[in-house]
Amino acid sequence: GESVGLHLPTLSVQEGDNSIINCAYSNSASDYFIWYKQESGKGPQFIIDIRSNMDKRQGQRVTVLLNKTVKHLSLQIAATQPGDSAVYFCAENWAQNAGGTSYGKLTFGQGTILTVHP
Amino acid sequence: KAGVTQTPRYLIKTRGQQVTLSCSPISGHRSVSWYQQTPGQGLQFLFEYFSETQRNKGNFPGRFSGRQFSNSRSEMNVSTLELGDSALYLCASSVSEGNYGYTFGSGTRLTVV
């Protein structure tokens, strides 16, 4: 049968604007969150991360906000540039500890397509 | 510092064949994870290896397998290929297993015809 692809949310902004990309995560036990940027033909590139004991973390031009109450994560990009155009993924990592060993895996959101117009 | 290296970059196989993909992690990284990326399902976890042992496995059939060598390099194998296995296969390495950041390679684009 015909396969149905994911319909990714899209965000279009003008160069210089601030961008906000949102993500809802699924596991309330997740304790580590990462934002990745993926450009065409490349693998996901790390942008910024945050642990569950924090609400906010800032990097260069980027800020991640974590709201554990509603299981929501956001990525804010200041002064967005055309080079920021890409698909952005949030990922949650839940590390289960067993016998002193930690087993982790990333669960990714569906992604958001960001397009920055010059 | 070299990044995560995946080979080959592109691969075309016929239904029923088997395929082996290779991943060399960042020097000093001991954990290697594999992910499948498709337009329909997005990015999905396959498995994670640490110290030559599979530590975690995603919800994929037994046709998908992997291994890790003593130098932390990893391979994944898919047997009896199906059309639906066409995807971008991504490898990610981390300093250790569990709760750490992961660096991804550029992936191997597998097309099954």
PDB file of all heavy atoms in Angstrom, chain A residues 4-6 31-32 36 38 41 43-44 51 89 93 101-106 108, chain B residues 9 35 37 39-40 42-43 45 48 55-56 97-102 104-106:
ATOM      1  N   VAL A   4       2.631   6.540   4.092  1.00  0.00           N
ATOM      2  CA  VAL A   4       2.304   7.909   4.478  1.00  0.00           C
ATOM      3  C   VAL A   4       3.490   8.474   5.218  1.00  0.00           C
ATOM      4  O   VAL A   4       3.912   7.941   6.220  1.00  0.00           O
ATOM      5  CB  VAL A   4       1.053   7.934   5.373  1.00  0.00           C
ATOM      6  CG1 VAL A   4       0.756   9.359   5.805  1.00  0.00           C
ATOM      7  CG2 VAL A   4      -0.118   7.321   4.646  1.00  0.00           C
ATOM      8  N   GLY A   5       4.050   9.545   4.715  1.00  0.00           N
ATOM      9  CA  GLY A   5       5.188  10.142   5.372  1.00  0.00           C
ATOM     10  C   GLY A   5       4.757  11.053   6.492  1.00  0.00           C
ATOM     11  O   GLY A   5       3.603  11.439   6.614  1.00  0.00           O
ATOM     12  N   LEU A   6       5.729  11.354   7.324  1.00  0.00           N
ATOM     13  CA  LEU A   6       5.479  12.303   8.396  1.00  0.00           C
ATOM     14  C   LEU A   6       5.242  13.680   7.789  1.00  0.00           C
ATOM     15  O   LEU A   6       5.936  14.087   6.875  1.00  0.00           O
ATOM     16  CB  LEU A   6       6.684  12.377   9.331  1.00  0.00           C
ATOM     17  CG  LEU A   6       6.983  11.146  10.178  1.00  0.00           C
ATOM     18  CD1 LEU A   6       8.326  11.308  10.849  1.00  0.00           C
ATOM     19  CD2 LEU A   6       5.899  10.930  11.204  1.00  0.00           C
ATOM     20  N   ASP A  31      15.593  12.204  31.333  1.00  0.00           N
ATOM     21  CA  ASP A  31      16.368  13.115  32.165  1.00  0.00           C
ATOM     22  C   ASP A  31      17.405  13.912  31.396  1.00  0.00           C
ATOM     23  O   ASP A  31      18.204  14.638  31.993  1.00  0.00           O
ATOM     24  CB  ASP A  31      17.032  12.346  33.313  1.00  0.00           C
ATOM     25  CG  ASP A  31      17.812  11.148  32.826  1.00  0.00           C
ATOM     26  OD1 ASP A  31      17.920  10.961  31.596  1.00  0.00           O
ATOM     27  OD2 ASP A  31      18.301  10.387  33.673  1.00  0.00           O
ATOM     28  N   TYR A  32      17.393  13.793  30.085  1.00  0.00           N
ATOM     29  CA  TYR A  32      18.388  14.507  29.289  1.00  0.00           C
ATOM     30  C   TYR A  32      17.774  14.770  27.937  1.00  0.00           C
ATOM     31  O   TYR A  32      17.188  13.866  27.336  1.00  0.00           O
ATOM     32  CB  TYR A  32      19.637  13.640  29.184  1.00  0.00           C
ATOM     33  CG  TYR A  32      20.780  14.223  28.387  1.00  0.00           C
ATOM     34  CD1 TYR A  32      21.317  15.461  28.690  1.00  0.00           C
ATOM     35  CD2 TYR A  32      21.337  13.501  27.337  1.00  0.00           C
ATOM     36  CE1 TYR A  32      22.379  15.975  27.958  1.00  0.00           C
ATOM     37  CE2 TYR A  32      22.393  14.001  26.607  1.00  0.00           C
ATOM     38  CZ  TYR A  32      22.911  15.239  26.924  1.00  0.00           C
ATOM     39  OH  TYR A  32      23.972  15.743  26.205  1.00  0.00           O
ATOM     40  N   TYR A  36      18.903  18.789  17.901  1.00  0.00           N
ATOM     41  CA  TYR A  36      19.783  18.538  16.767  1.00  0.00           C
ATOM     42  C   TYR A  36      19.287  19.312  15.553  1.00  0.00           C
ATOM     43  O   TYR A  36      18.087  19.533  15.379  1.00  0.00           O
ATOM     44  CB  TYR A  36      19.806  17.050  16.404  1.00  0.00           C
ATOM     45  CG  TYR A  36      20.592  16.172  17.336  1.00  0.00           C
ATOM     46  CD1 TYR A  36      19.965  15.472  18.358  1.00  0.00           C
ATOM     47  CD2 TYR A  36      21.967  16.023  17.174  1.00  0.00           C
ATOM     48  CE1 TYR A  36      20.691  14.646  19.196  1.00  0.00           C
ATOM     49  CE2 TYR A  36      22.698  15.203  18.008  1.00  0.00           C
ATOM     50  CZ  TYR A  36      22.051  14.516  19.022  1.00  0.00           C
ATOM     51  OH  TYR A  36      22.775  13.705  19.855  1.00  0.00           O
ATOM     52  N   GLN A  38      19.542  19.107  11.345  1.00  0.00           N
ATOM     53  CA  GLN A  38      19.927  18.223  10.245  1.00  0.00           C
ATOM     54  C   GLN A  38      19.755  18.935   8.913  1.00  0.00           C
ATOM     55  O   GLN A  38      18.643  19.315   8.545  1.00  0.00           O
ATOM     56  CB  GLN A  38      19.123  16.919  10.260  1.00  0.00           C
ATOM     57  CG  GLN A  38      19.620  15.907   9.241  1.00  0.00           C
ATOM     58  CD  GLN A  38      18.920  14.567   9.344  1.00  0.00           C
ATOM     59  OE1 GLN A  38      17.782  14.466   9.807  1.00  0.00           O
ATOM     60  NE2 GLN A  38      19.593  13.504   8.929  1.00  0.00           N
ATOM     61  N   GLY A  41      21.329  15.782   3.374  1.00  0.00           N
ATOM     62  CA  GLY A  41      22.481  14.948   3.067  1.00  0.00           C
ATOM     63  C   GLY A  41      23.459  14.757   4.211  1.00  0.00           C
ATOM     64  O   GLY A  41      24.516  14.147   4.036  1.00  0.00           O
ATOM     65  N   GLY A  43      24.083  14.041   8.660  1.00  0.00           N
ATOM     66  CA  GLY A  43      23.515  13.497   9.875  1.00  0.00           C
ATOM     67  C   GLY A  43      23.135  14.609  10.837  1.00  0.00           C
ATOM     68  O   GLY A  43      23.516  15.766  10.643  1.00  0.00           O
ATOM     69  N   PRO A  44      22.363  14.300  11.853  1.00  0.00           N
ATOM     70  CA  PRO A  44      21.982  15.323  12.846  1.00  0.00           C
ATOM     71  C   PRO A  44      23.218  15.913  13.521  1.00  0.00           C
ATOM     72  O   PRO A  44      24.155  15.190  13.857  1.00  0.00           O
ATOM     73  CB  PRO A  44      21.133  14.519  13.844  1.00  0.00           C
ATOM     74  CG  PRO A  44      20.621  13.354  13.068  1.00  0.00           C
ATOM     75  CD  PRO A  44      21.725  12.997  12.123  1.00  0.00           C
ATOM     76  N   ARG A  51      19.684  19.144  30.927  1.00  0.00           N
ATOM     77  CA  ARG A  51      19.315  18.040  31.812  1.00  0.00           C
ATOM     78  C   ARG A  51      18.035  18.395  32.551  1.00  0.00           C
ATOM     79  O   ARG A  51      17.663  19.558  32.658  1.00  0.00           O
ATOM     80  CB  ARG A  51      20.450  17.730  32.778  1.00  0.00           C
ATOM     81  CG  ARG A  51      21.695  17.259  32.041  1.00  0.00           C
ATOM     82  CD  ARG A  51      22.653  16.481  32.907  1.00  0.00           C
ATOM     83  NE  ARG A  51      23.802  16.036  32.117  1.00  0.00           N
ATOM     84  CZ  ARG A  51      23.846  14.870  31.467  1.00  0.00           C
ATOM     85  NH1 ARG A  51      22.823  14.055  31.531  1.00  0.00           N
ATOM     86  NH2 ARG A  51      24.915  14.536  30.767  1.00  0.00           N
ATOM     87  N   PHE A  89      15.389  18.700  15.243  1.00  0.00           N
ATOM     88  CA  PHE A  89      14.809  17.610  16.021  1.00  0.00           C
ATOM     89  C   PHE A  89      15.105  17.798  17.501  1.00  0.00           C
ATOM     90  O   PHE A  89      16.224  18.143  17.879  1.00  0.00           O
ATOM     91  CB  PHE A  89      15.427  16.259  15.624  1.00  0.00           C
ATOM     92  CG  PHE A  89      15.122  15.804  14.233  1.00  0.00           C
ATOM     93  CD1 PHE A  89      15.990  16.084  13.187  1.00  0.00           C
ATOM     94  CD2 PHE A  89      13.966  15.073  13.963  1.00  0.00           C
ATOM     95  CE1 PHE A  89      15.714  15.650  11.907  1.00  0.00           C
ATOM     96  CE2 PHE A  89      13.694  14.634  12.678  1.00  0.00           C
ATOM     97  CZ  PHE A  89      14.567  14.929  11.651  1.00  0.00           C
ATOM     98  N   ASN A  93      16.464  11.496  26.121  1.00  0.00           N
ATOM     99  CA  ASN A  93      17.283  10.349  26.477  1.00  0.00           C
ATOM    100  C   ASN A  93      16.859   9.872  27.853  1.00  0.00           C
ATOM    101  O   ASN A  93      16.868  10.636  28.810  1.00  0.00           O
ATOM    102  CB  ASN A  93      18.764  10.725  26.486  1.00  0.00           C
ATOM    103  CG  ASN A  93      19.655   9.503  26.620  1.00  0.00           C
ATOM    104  OD1 ASN A  93      19.293   8.410  26.251  1.00  0.00           O
ATOM    105  ND2 ASN A  93      20.843   9.702  27.153  1.00  0.00           N
ATOM    106  N   THR A 101      24.979  -0.172  35.611  1.00  0.00           N
ATOM    107  CA  THR A 101      25.231   0.197  34.220  1.00  0.00           C
ATOM    108  C   THR A 101      24.062   1.003  33.685  1.00  0.00           C
ATOM    109  O   THR A 101      22.911   0.711  34.006  1.00  0.00           O
ATOM    110  CB  THR A 101      25.409  -1.068  33.367  1.00  0.00           C
ATOM    111  OG1 THR A 101      26.480  -1.838  33.902  1.00  0.00           O
ATOM    112  CG2 THR A 101      25.740  -0.709  31.933  1.00  0.00           C
ATOM    113  N   SER A 102      24.368   1.975  32.896  1.00  0.00           N
ATOM    114  CA  SER A 102      23.334   2.846  32.352  1.00  0.00           C
ATOM    115  C   SER A 102      23.070   2.513  30.896  1.00  0.00           C
ATOM    116  O   SER A 102      23.990   2.394  30.110  1.00  0.00           O
ATOM    117  CB  SER A 102      23.779   4.298  32.500  1.00  0.00           C
ATOM    118  OG  SER A 102      22.807   5.162  31.986  1.00  0.00           O
ATOM    119  N   TYR A 103      21.834   2.327  30.553  1.00  0.00           N
ATOM    120  CA  TYR A 103      21.457   2.026  29.186  1.00  0.00           C
ATOM    121  C   TYR A 103      20.645   3.185  28.663  1.00  0.00           C
ATOM    122  O   TYR A 103      19.584   3.483  29.173  1.00  0.00           O
ATOM    123  CB  TYR A 103      20.611   0.754  29.133  1.00  0.00           C
ATOM    124  CG  TYR A 103      21.276  -0.445  29.764  1.00  0.00           C
ATOM    125  CD1 TYR A 103      21.183  -0.658  31.120  1.00  0.00           C
ATOM    126  CD2 TYR A 103      21.989  -1.347  28.995  1.00  0.00           C
ATOM    127  CE1 TYR A 103      21.793  -1.744  31.695  1.00  0.00           C
ATOM    128  CE2 TYR A 103      22.601  -2.438  29.566  1.00  0.00           C
ATOM    129  CZ  TYR A 103      22.505  -2.640  30.927  1.00  0.00           C
ATOM    130  OH  TYR A 103      23.111  -3.708  31.493  1.00  0.00           O
ATOM    131  N   GLY A 104      21.134   3.832  27.612  1.00  0.00           N
ATOM    132  CA  GLY A 104      20.405   4.976  27.106  1.00  0.00           C
ATOM    133  C   GLY A 104      20.075   4.822  25.648  1.00  0.00           C
ATOM    134  O   GLY A 104      20.713   4.081  24.928  1.00  0.00           O
ATOM    135  N   LYS A 105      19.028   5.506  25.233  1.00  0.00           N
ATOM    136  CA  LYS A 105      18.726   5.601  23.821  1.00  0.00           C
ATOM    137  C   LYS A 105      18.008   6.921  23.609  1.00  0.00           C
ATOM    138  O   LYS A 105      17.324   7.423  24.491  1.00  0.00           O
ATOM    139  CB  LYS A 105      17.856   4.440  23.355  1.00  0.00           C
ATOM    140  CG  LYS A 105      16.428   4.470  23.865  1.00  0.00           C
ATOM    141  CD  LYS A 105      15.591   3.392  23.232  1.00  0.00           C
ATOM    142  CE  LYS A 105      14.114   3.572  23.555  1.00  0.00           C
ATOM    143  NZ  LYS A 105      13.270   2.544  22.926  1.00  0.00           N
ATOM    144  N   LEU A 106      18.182   7.471  22.446  1.00  0.00           N
ATOM    145  CA  LEU A 106      17.510   8.713  22.092  1.00  0.00           C
ATOM    146  C   LEU A 106      16.189   8.416  21.402  1.00  0.00           C
ATOM    147  O   LEU A 106      16.128   7.581  20.507  1.00  0.00           O
ATOM    148  CB  LEU A 106      18.384   9.539  21.148  1.00  0.00           C
ATOM    149  CG  LEU A 106      19.664  10.139  21.725  1.00  0.00           C
ATOM    150  CD1 LEU A 106      20.456  10.839  20.631  1.00  0.00           C
ATOM    151  CD2 LEU A 106      19.350  11.111  22.850  1.00  0.00           C
ATOM    152  N   PHE A 108      13.514  10.435  19.225  1.00  0.00           N
ATOM    153  CA  PHE A 108      13.436  11.692  18.500  1.00  0.00           C
ATOM    154  C   PHE A 108      11.998  12.126  18.262  1.00  0.00           C
ATOM    155  O   PHE A 108      11.107  11.299  18.063  1.00  0.00           O
ATOM    156  CB  PHE A 108      14.123  11.543  17.137  1.00  0.00           C
ATOM    157  CG  PHE A 108      15.617  11.581  17.206  1.00  0.00           C
ATOM    158  CD1 PHE A 108      16.339  10.439  17.507  1.00  0.00           C
ATOM    159  CD2 PHE A 108      16.302  12.764  16.969  1.00  0.00           C
ATOM    160  CE1 PHE A 108      17.723  10.481  17.571  1.00  0.00           C
ATOM    161  CE2 PHE A 108      17.683  12.810  17.031  1.00  0.00           C
ATOM    162  CZ  PHE A 108      18.394  11.656  17.332  1.00  0.00           C
TER     163      PHE A 108
ATOM    164  N   ARG B   9      28.821   5.525   1.847  1.00  0.00           N
ATOM    165  CA  ARG B   9      27.838   6.620   1.923  1.00  0.00           C
ATOM    166  C   ARG B   9      26.535   6.233   1.227  1.00  0.00           C
ATOM    167  O   ARG B   9      25.451   6.608   1.676  1.00  0.00           O
ATOM    168  CB  ARG B   9      28.389   7.890   1.266  1.00  0.00           C
ATOM    169  CG  ARG B   9      29.397   8.640   2.091  1.00  0.00           C
ATOM    170  CD  ARG B   9      28.828   9.144   3.435  1.00  0.00           C
ATOM    171  NE  ARG B   9      27.571   9.868   3.302  1.00  0.00           N
ATOM    172  CZ  ARG B   9      27.459  11.153   3.041  1.00  0.00           C
ATOM    173  NH1 ARG B   9      28.540  11.889   2.839  1.00  0.00           N
ATOM    174  NH2 ARG B   9      26.268  11.736   2.962  1.00  0.00           N
ATOM    175  N   TYR B  35      20.781   4.213  14.250  1.00  0.00           N
ATOM    176  CA  TYR B  35      19.415   4.701  14.049  1.00  0.00           C
ATOM    177  C   TYR B  35      19.046   4.549  12.581  1.00  0.00           C
ATOM    178  O   TYR B  35      19.894   4.649  11.693  1.00  0.00           O
ATOM    179  CB  TYR B  35      19.304   6.177  14.439  1.00  0.00           C
ATOM    180  CG  TYR B  35      19.447   6.416  15.917  1.00  0.00           C
ATOM    181  CD1 TYR B  35      20.707   6.459  16.509  1.00  0.00           C
ATOM    182  CD2 TYR B  35      18.327   6.566  16.729  1.00  0.00           C
ATOM    183  CE1 TYR B  35      20.839   6.649  17.877  1.00  0.00           C
ATOM    184  CE2 TYR B  35      18.448   6.764  18.089  1.00  0.00           C
ATOM    185  CZ  TYR B  35      19.711   6.802  18.659  1.00  0.00           C
ATOM    186  OH  TYR B  35      19.842   6.987  20.009  1.00  0.00           O
ATOM    187  N   GLN B  37      16.553   6.198   9.687  1.00  0.00           N
ATOM    188  CA  GLN B  37      15.751   7.378   9.387  1.00  0.00           C
ATOM    189  C   GLN B  37      15.010   7.188   8.077  1.00  0.00           C
ATOM    190  O   GLN B  37      15.619   6.957   7.026  1.00  0.00           O
ATOM    191  CB  GLN B  37      16.612   8.642   9.320  1.00  0.00           C
ATOM    192  CG  GLN B  37      15.793   9.917   9.150  1.00  0.00           C
ATOM    193  CD  GLN B  37      16.639  11.172   9.216  1.00  0.00           C
ATOM    194  OE1 GLN B  37      17.820  11.166   8.903  1.00  0.00           O
ATOM    195  NE2 GLN B  37      16.038  12.278   9.643  1.00  0.00           N
ATOM    196  N   PRO B  39      11.333   8.691   5.763  1.00  0.00           N
ATOM    197  CA  PRO B  39      10.316   9.753   5.722  1.00  0.00           C
ATOM    198  C   PRO B  39       9.049   9.372   6.479  1.00  0.00           C
ATOM    199  O   PRO B  39       8.383  10.227   7.041  1.00  0.00           O
ATOM    200  CB  PRO B  39      10.043   9.903   4.224  1.00  0.00           C
ATOM    201  CG  PRO B  39      11.265   9.389   3.552  1.00  0.00           C
ATOM    202  CD  PRO B  39      11.742   8.262   4.426  1.00  0.00           C
ATOM    203  N   GLY B  40       8.751   8.089   6.531  1.00  0.00           N
ATOM    204  CA  GLY B  40       7.512   7.664   7.165  1.00  0.00           C
ATOM    205  C   GLY B  40       7.588   7.537   8.674  1.00  0.00           C
ATOM    206  O   GLY B  40       6.626   7.827   9.380  1.00  0.00           O
ATOM    207  N   GLY B  42      10.502   8.605  10.618  1.00  0.00           N
ATOM    208  CA  GLY B  42      11.458   9.484  11.275  1.00  0.00           C
ATOM    209  C   GLY B  42      12.694   8.728  11.734  1.00  0.00           C
ATOM    210  O   GLY B  42      13.080   7.728  11.131  1.00  0.00           O
ATOM    211  N   LEU B  43      13.278   9.194  12.812  1.00  0.00           N
ATOM    212  CA  LEU B  43      14.493   8.587  13.357  1.00  0.00           C
ATOM    213  C   LEU B  43      14.119   7.576  14.425  1.00  0.00           C
ATOM    214  O   LEU B  43      13.476   7.903  15.411  1.00  0.00           O
ATOM    215  CB  LEU B  43      15.373   9.664  13.997  1.00  0.00           C
ATOM    216  CG  LEU B  43      16.251  10.456  13.053  1.00  0.00           C
ATOM    217  CD1 LEU B  43      16.441  11.871  13.547  1.00  0.00           C
ATOM    218  CD2 LEU B  43      17.602   9.756  12.915  1.00  0.00           C
ATOM    219  N   PHE B  45      15.530   4.290  16.905  1.00  0.00           N
ATOM    220  CA  PHE B  45      16.669   3.630  17.528  1.00  0.00           C
ATOM    221  C   PHE B  45      16.706   2.158  17.149  1.00  0.00           C
ATOM    222  O   PHE B  45      15.712   1.436  17.249  1.00  0.00           O
ATOM    223  CB  PHE B  45      16.549   3.795  19.044  1.00  0.00           C
ATOM    224  CG  PHE B  45      17.558   3.039  19.855  1.00  0.00           C
ATOM    225  CD1 PHE B  45      18.851   3.509  19.994  1.00  0.00           C
ATOM    226  CD2 PHE B  45      17.192   1.866  20.496  1.00  0.00           C
ATOM    227  CE1 PHE B  45      19.772   2.816  20.760  1.00  0.00           C
ATOM    228  CE2 PHE B  45      18.103   1.170  21.266  1.00  0.00           C
ATOM    229  CZ  PHE B  45      19.395   1.637  21.404  1.00  0.00           C
ATOM    230  N   GLU B  48      22.359  -0.158  20.657  1.00  0.00           N
ATOM    231  CA  GLU B  48      23.519   0.525  21.202  1.00  0.00           C
ATOM    232  C   GLU B  48      24.537  -0.509  21.665  1.00  0.00           C
ATOM    233  O   GLU B  48      24.163  -1.521  22.279  1.00  0.00           O
ATOM    234  CB  GLU B  48      23.146   1.420  22.387  1.00  0.00           C
ATOM    235  CG  GLU B  48      24.362   2.110  23.021  1.00  0.00           C
ATOM    236  CD  GLU B  48      24.037   2.946  24.235  1.00  0.00           C
ATOM    237  OE1 GLU B  48      22.976   2.749  24.848  1.00  0.00           O
ATOM    238  OE2 GLU B  48      24.864   3.814  24.581  1.00  0.00           O
ATOM    239  N   ARG B  55      23.925  -3.243  24.466  1.00  0.00           N
ATOM    240  CA  ARG B  55      23.365  -2.814  25.745  1.00  0.00           C
ATOM    241  C   ARG B  55      21.875  -2.514  25.654  1.00  0.00           C
ATOM    242  O   ARG B  55      21.170  -2.539  26.651  1.00  0.00           O
ATOM    243  CB  ARG B  55      24.082  -1.543  26.215  1.00  0.00           C
ATOM    244  CG  ARG B  55      25.557  -1.723  26.501  1.00  0.00           C
ATOM    245  CD  ARG B  55      25.791  -2.649  27.664  1.00  0.00           C
ATOM    246  NE  ARG B  55      27.125  -2.487  28.216  1.00  0.00           N
ATOM    247  CZ  ARG B  55      27.589  -3.182  29.251  1.00  0.00           C
ATOM    248  NH1 ARG B  55      26.826  -4.086  29.826  1.00  0.00           N
ATOM    249  NH2 ARG B  55      28.807  -2.969  29.697  1.00  0.00           N
ATOM    250  N   ASN B  56      21.427  -2.178  24.481  1.00  0.00           N
ATOM    251  CA  ASN B  56      20.052  -1.744  24.353  1.00  0.00           C
ATOM    252  C   ASN B  56      19.610  -2.026  22.920  1.00  0.00           C
ATOM    253  O   ASN B  56      20.417  -1.949  21.987  1.00  0.00           O
ATOM    254  CB  ASN B  56      19.964  -0.236  24.647  1.00  0.00           C
ATOM    255  CG  ASN B  56      18.604   0.181  25.166  1.00  0.00           C
ATOM    256  OD1 ASN B  56      17.669  -0.604  25.199  1.00  0.00           O
ATOM    257  ND2 ASN B  56      18.496   1.430  25.557  1.00  0.00           N
ATOM    258  N   GLU B  97      28.259   4.891  27.661  1.00  0.00           N
ATOM    259  CA  GLU B  97      26.873   4.499  27.430  1.00  0.00           C
ATOM    260  C   GLU B  97      25.955   5.321  28.322  1.00  0.00           C
ATOM    261  O   GLU B  97      26.374   5.907  29.321  1.00  0.00           O
ATOM    262  CB  GLU B  97      26.701   3.022  27.738  1.00  0.00           C
ATOM    263  CG  GLU B  97      27.061   2.672  29.162  1.00  0.00           C
ATOM    264  CD  GLU B  97      27.068   1.171  29.397  1.00  0.00           C
ATOM    265  OE1 GLU B  97      26.382   0.443  28.671  1.00  0.00           O
ATOM    266  OE2 GLU B  97      27.762   0.748  30.315  1.00  0.00           O
ATOM    267  N   GLY B  98      24.701   5.338  27.941  1.00  0.00           N
ATOM    268  CA  GLY B  98      23.727   5.985  28.802  1.00  0.00           C
ATOM    269  C   GLY B  98      23.554   7.460  28.558  1.00  0.00           C
ATOM    270  O   GLY B  98      23.357   7.898  27.440  1.00  0.00           O
ATOM    271  N   ASN B  99      23.674   8.225  29.577  1.00  0.00           N
ATOM    272  CA  ASN B  99      23.183   9.586  29.575  1.00  0.00           C
ATOM    273  C   ASN B  99      24.205  10.622  29.140  1.00  0.00           C
ATOM    274  O   ASN B  99      24.570  11.507  29.888  1.00  0.00           O
ATOM    275  CB  ASN B  99      22.688   9.902  30.989  1.00  0.00           C
ATOM    276  CG  ASN B  99      21.571  10.914  30.979  1.00  0.00           C
ATOM    277  OD1 ASN B  99      21.105  11.322  29.936  1.00  0.00           O
ATOM    278  ND2 ASN B  99      21.165  11.328  32.154  1.00  0.00           N
ATOM    279  N   TYR B 100      24.614  10.538  27.911  1.00  0.00           N
ATOM    280  CA  TYR B 100      25.597  11.491  27.405  1.00  0.00           C
ATOM    281  C   TYR B 100      25.213  11.946  26.012  1.00  0.00           C
ATOM    282  O   TYR B 100      24.381  11.339  25.365  1.00  0.00           O
ATOM    283  CB  TYR B 100      26.986  10.849  27.353  1.00  0.00           C
ATOM    284  CG  TYR B 100      27.561  10.551  28.706  1.00  0.00           C
ATOM    285  CD1 TYR B 100      27.332   9.319  29.295  1.00  0.00           C
ATOM    286  CD2 TYR B 100      28.312  11.480  29.401  1.00  0.00           C
ATOM    287  CE1 TYR B 100      27.842   9.024  30.538  1.00  0.00           C
ATOM    288  CE2 TYR B 100      28.835  11.190  30.642  1.00  0.00           C
ATOM    289  CZ  TYR B 100      28.596   9.966  31.209  1.00  0.00           C
ATOM    290  OH  TYR B 100      29.101   9.680  32.445  1.00  0.00           O
ATOM    291  N   GLY B 101      25.846  13.020  25.551  1.00  0.00           N
ATOM    292  CA  GLY B 101      25.590  13.518  24.208  1.00  0.00           C
ATOM    293  C   GLY B 101      26.118  12.568  23.149  1.00  0.00           C
ATOM    294  O   GLY B 101      27.078  11.844  23.376  1.00  0.00           O
ATOM    295  N   TYR B 102      25.461  12.560  22.020  1.00  0.00           N
ATOM    296  CA  TYR B 102      25.821  11.675  20.933  1.00  0.00           C
ATOM    297  C   TYR B 102      26.195  12.501  19.712  1.00  0.00           C
ATOM    298  O   TYR B 102      25.511  13.450  19.363  1.00  0.00           O
ATOM    299  CB  TYR B 102      24.633  10.775  20.579  1.00  0.00           C
ATOM    300  CG  TYR B 102      24.179   9.882  21.711  1.00  0.00           C
ATOM    301  CD1 TYR B 102      23.304  10.347  22.682  1.00  0.00           C
ATOM    302  CD2 TYR B 102      24.637   8.574  21.812  1.00  0.00           C
ATOM    303  CE1 TYR B 102      22.895   9.542  23.725  1.00  0.00           C
ATOM    304  CE2 TYR B 102      24.222   7.758  22.846  1.00  0.00           C
ATOM    305  CZ  TYR B 102      23.353   8.246  23.807  1.00  0.00           C
ATOM    306  OH  TYR B 102      22.956   7.448  24.836  1.00  0.00           O
ATOM    307  N   PHE B 104      26.692  12.316  15.653  1.00  0.00           N
ATOM    308  CA  PHE B 104      26.266  11.486  14.533  1.00  0.00           C
ATOM    309  C   PHE B 104      27.212  11.581  13.339  1.00  0.00           C
ATOM    310  O   PHE B 104      27.838  12.621  13.095  1.00  0.00           O
ATOM    311  CB  PHE B 104      24.871  11.917  14.060  1.00  0.00           C
ATOM    312  CG  PHE B 104      23.756  11.422  14.928  1.00  0.00           C
ATOM    313  CD1 PHE B 104      23.422  12.090  16.102  1.00  0.00           C
ATOM    314  CD2 PHE B 104      23.054  10.272  14.594  1.00  0.00           C
ATOM    315  CE1 PHE B 104      22.400  11.633  16.919  1.00  0.00           C
ATOM    316  CE2 PHE B 104      22.025   9.810  15.402  1.00  0.00           C
ATOM    317  CZ  PHE B 104      21.709  10.482  16.567  1.00  0.00           C
ATOM    318  N   GLY B 105      27.271  10.476  12.596  1.00  0.00           N
ATOM    319  CA  GLY B 105      27.926  10.487  11.309  1.00  0.00           C
ATOM    320  C   GLY B 105      26.960  10.980  10.243  1.00  0.00           C
ATOM    321  O   GLY B 105      25.809  11.333  10.548  1.00  0.00           O
ATOM    322  N   SER B 106      27.411  11.013   9.002  1.00  0.00           N
ATOM    323  CA  SER B 106      26.573  11.494   7.900  1.00  0.00           C
ATOM    324  C   SER B 106      25.629  10.425   7.369  1.00  0.00           C
ATOM    325  O   SER B 106      24.749  10.726   6.571  1.00  0.00           O
ATOM    326  CB  SER B 106      27.447  12.019   6.766  1.00  0.00           C
ATOM    327  OG  SER B 106      28.145  13.175   7.185  1.00  0.00           O
TER     328      SER B 106
END
